Amino acid sequence: MTDNVDLIPAPARCSRNTAGRTSLGSGTALEARPGTEGVARWLRATVGAATGLPFPEAGEGADRLVLSIEPDLPPEGYRLVSDGGPYRIQGGGAAGVFWGAQTFRQLLGPDAFRRAPVRPGREWDLPRVTVEDSPRFRWRGLMLDVARHFMPKEGVLRYLDLMAAHKLNVFHFHLTDDQGWRIEIRRHPRLTEVASWRARTKFGHRASPLWEEKPHGGYYTQDDIREIVAYAAERHITVVPEIDVPGHSQAAVAAYPELGNTDVTDTTALTVWDTWGISADVLAPTDTTLRFYEGVFEEVLELFPADAAEFSAFIHIGGDECRKEQWSESVAAKTRIAELGLADEDELQSWFIGHFDKWLTARGRRLIGWDEILEGGLAPGAAVSSWRGYGGGVAAARAGHDVVMCPEQYVYLDHRQAPGEDEPVPIGFVRTLEDVYRFEPVPSQLSEAEARHVLGTQANVWTEVMEDAARVDYQTFPRLAAFAEVAWSSLPAPQERDFADFERRMAAHYGRLDALGVAYRPPSGPRPWQRRPGVLGRPLEGPPPNR
């Protein structure tokens, strides 16, 4: 790393060309060579808005920025050259050029992250450096739960911008759960009429006696979804939707009672759940349920098309934390088990997941689910999100399945960031900025061949105790910056990583987050208005399991 080049994520190579800096001004032109036109649009709309630079189309001479695709670079790799001009951002593909443009923006300083110039007419300068870089992992993800607390569309678009600024490229969109259904399905209108809102909301952990006594809800229209997917694609981010089955489905059953286990409970009395935890009201393993969700997924496939993006074929079906009590009492479920020649309710869940595995595969798509879906076997193309530690990822990779590593003990960003009493609604293990920085996505037990099944990693943001965008920001940042470096950069072993250097670079990065309006947790602890005094959480003691 060169002096005064505080980039996050850390690049593979950064070298000083000559001493001093070089300036950009109103005459600095922008030349977009074939395949880079989208990056040029982004630069003019985003960096141009912040700097006031018009970036006119290229003329001649040194005072220009040239975007180009160079086949000698990896697809997401880039080379940025600032040596007095012309400035050059080269990538192995359009994505590589885009990630290079993110580095270019960082080099301009924090004010380049604003939405309008704060000092009109100023000159903008760059260090004279060459940066060469490419990502360690292909899947560098963020999962956002909008089911527990709805995030309006503008907030989702903002998070896509924040992801792009950190070179993250997969947005796992958790759209359904017991507490709300957030996507319009036209053939099943009650999913938005009924299942998208709840009458009140538990404030804090489920043990808290506090309630917010007002309706909460919202959903994305199909055009909203198309806009989100297109906006993400312009930023080289793939959106992977999650429709959770057969558990975490009380909201859907509240809207359509026939989906539930009607022979053991009065599903017509169900409402969208207003507290946290794992509901016992799960989907019934009936043909009615299968046909209903096939209809749901048909519309989902149309809204999230498989295209040239590497991970666009994936559809996440959840598959986690499915309680079996109702199935154990249900004559219909027991009949289904007997008809299928299954041993028990656990195998019934595997059959349910397997049905949609085959259904999606037949349509050219790939199923991905939480690591519980391993129980009972999977089709060859299915992938696993390993959340209950490293074990699920190890088992999946050894069985030949692709894996995304997201163990809750390391990268669940709803977990508290410090042990202090001022932390708002403390949940789970203490996971500091340094803890996240020392996370290693590839399980040490895997052989080199097995490790190739690790597509990458993602951080998960569950929003039970995040009632608004400011709370999401607080839990997510600055830890997402540390995670982004883990996902992108080729770092040494966890205990050999230079956290002091990362903290030094973060001192500059906080200025970028300030310019972006991110309500992050300061290194000194929460600001007074970020605390939630008197709101119960659920702290857990002890270290996470060993890898």
Side-chain angles (χ1 to χ4, degrees):
M1 186 72 63
T2 63
D3 293 338
N4 302 317
V5 181
D6 297 321
L7 298 174
I8 289 178
R13 289 172 296 282
C14 184
S15 57
R16 179 74 64 178
N17 292 326
T18 58
R21 302 174 75 86
T22 181
S23 296
L24 286 72
S26 60
T28 302
L30 179 57
E31 178 182 347
R33 293 181 179 171
T36 69
E37 296 86 356
V39 182
R41 284 194 299 273
W42 179 87
L43 273 165
R44 287 192 175 100
T46 306
V47 179
T51 60
L53 300 178
F55 291 116
E57 291 190 9
E60 296 298 325
D63 191 16
R64 58 195 170 109
L65 172 62
V66 180
L67 311 179
S68 64
I69 293 175
E70 305 294 338
D72 64 306
L73 294 169
E76 288 193 278
Y78 69 88
R79 181 187 301 117
L80 184 155
V81 182
S82 168
D83 57 2
Y87 312 100
R88 302 180 294 285
I89 302 176
Q90 304 164 338
V97 179
F98 183 73
W99 304 132
Q102 297 297 333
T103 296
F104 175 80
R105 188 188 193 189
Q106 287 198 21
L107 292 173
L108 287 172
D111 284 348
F113 288 79
R114 297 187 180 275
R115 295 193 180 188
V118 294
R119 292 189 294 279
R122 65 173 274 191
E123 283 197 334
W124 294 81
D125 60 296
L126 288 170
R128 294 174 180 259
V129 294
T130 295
V131 183
E132 295 183 81
D133 205 7
S134 61
R136 178 185 179 189
F137 292 109
R138 293 142 54 203
W139 184 302
R140 305 179 303 280
L142 174 70
M143 189 228 69
L144 181 63
D145 165 23
V146 297
R148 273 54 176 267
H149 277 102
F150 178 66
M151 180 176 284
K153 181 193 68 177
E154 288 303 314
V156 174
L157 299 178
R158 173 176 174 264
Y159 259 82
L160 291 169
D161 282 330
L162 291 172
M163 288 179 64
H166 292 83
K167 299 185 174 74
L168 300 175
N169 70 336
V170 178
F171 179 54
H172 175 169
F173 205 8
H174 183 82
L175 288 163
T176 73
D177 218 294
D178 296 311
Q179 295 85 3
W181 184 284
R182 306 296 180 212
I183 179 172
E184 178 188 22
I185 302 297
R186 288 177 175 165
R187 73 187 70 187
H188 302 308
R190 287 177 59 83
L191 290 173
T192 45
E193 294 168 1
V194 174
S196 69
W197 69 277
R198 55 185 182 261
R200 64 175 187 168
T201 298
K202 175 68 72 172
F203 191 32
H205 182 254
R206 62 180 176 273
S208 167
L210 304 176
W211 295 88
E212 186 177 39
E213 297 286 353
K214 69 176 184 180
H216 176 85
Y219 65 91
Y220 310 102
T221 68
Q222 295 205 350
D223 281 345
D224 290 338
I225 293 290
R226 292 186 181 97
E227 180 183 358
I228 289 167
V229 171
Y231 194 85
E234 289 173 352
R235 287 148 183 79
H236 298 275
I237 296 170
T238 300
V239 184
V240 174
E242 180 180 354
I243 306 295
D244 213 334
V245 296
H248 288 289
S249 298
Q250 180 171 327
V253 177
Y256 290 93
E258 65 271 21
L259 299 176
N261 295 282
T262 57
D263 56 348
V264 296
T265 186
D266 180 9
T267 56
T268 63
L270 273 184
T271 59
V272 177
W273 217 19
D274 56 12
T275 189
W276 316 125
I278 308 169
S279 172
D281 284 284
V282 302
L283 297 175
T286 63
D287 288 341
T288 296
T289 300
L290 297 181
R291 300 294 88 77
F292 182 96
Y293 274 88
E294 286 169 1
V296 168
F297 282 118
E298 282 177 2
E299 295 192 29
V300 167
L301 298 191
E302 190 271 329
L303 293 170
F304 298 88
D307 54 28
E310 181 178 12
F311 301 119
S312 62
F314 279 108
I315 301 293
H316 207 293
I317 53 77
D320 61 315
E321 298 179 323
C322 179
R323 293 174 59 174
K324 309 295 195 306
E325 298 98 308
Q326 290 184 355
W327 287 357
S328 296
E329 299 172 13
S330 167
V331 173
K334 290 184 180 299
T335 300
R336 195 80 183 198
I337 289 171
E339 290 173 349
L340 295 168
L342 305 176
D344 54 23
E345 290 78 14
D346 289 336
E347 288 195 5
L348 185 62
Q349 180 179 351
S350 297
W351 165 82
F352 196 105
I353 298 299
H355 173 86
F356 287 102
D357 192 348
K358 297 182 183 70
W359 190 91
L360 289 167
T361 299
R363 288 155 181 80
R365 307 304 285 266
R366 292 184 66 184
L367 179 146
I368 184 169
W370 303 109
D371 53 51
E372 287 95 328
I373 70 172
L374 281 167
E375 301 157 9
L378 289 172
V384 171
S385 302
S386 183
W387 75 275
R388 295 180 298 177
Y390 284 83
V394 171
R398 287 177 173 168
H401 294 288
D402 288 338
V403 181
V404 175
M405 295 303 302
C406 48
E408 65 167 330
Q409 300 87 352
Y410 296 88
V411 291
Y412 269 37
L413 301 186
D414 52 318
H415 285 203
R416 56 195 171 133
Q417 303 184 63
E421 294 182 1
D422 286 339
E423 291 303 311
V425 199
I427 297 292
F429 302 103
V430 173
R431 280 296 152 264
T432 66
L433 183 66
E434 182 172 1
D435 291 331
V436 175
Y437 190 68
R438 297 195 188 282
F439 166 56
E440 171 50 48
V442 179
S444 57
Q445 305 96 310
L446 295 180
S447 68
E448 184 177 343
E450 291 165 344
R452 284 196 285 271
H453 283 290
V454 179
L455 298 175
T457 182
Q458 71 181 32
N460 294 341
V461 179
W462 300 102
T463 62
E464 287 94 335
V465 299
M466 301 181 209
E467 71 277 8
D468 56 31
R471 281 287 289 123
V472 175
D473 279 5
Y474 179 90
Q475 291 300 133
T476 304
F477 289 96
R479 292 184 294 181
L480 192 68
F483 173 80
E485 185 148 310
V486 169
W488 175 278
S489 305
S490 294
L491 298 174
Q495 296 311 312
E496 298 171 10
R497 294 175 188 170
D498 190 347
F499 181 67
D501 177 70
F502 176 76
E503 282 190 303
R504 181 188 64 77
R505 288 180 285 116
M506 275 302 300
H509 199 64
Y510 286 121
R512 299 174 191 131
L513 297 179
D514 286 331
L516 287 165
V518 177
Y520 59 85
R521 180 191 187 276
S524 58
R527 296 180 171 96
W529 57 87
Q530 292 175 320
R531 300 166 188 164
R532 295 292 183 275
V535 183
L536 292 179
R538 185 180 63 91
L540 300 176
E541 301 303 327
N546 293 327
R547 293 198 296 121

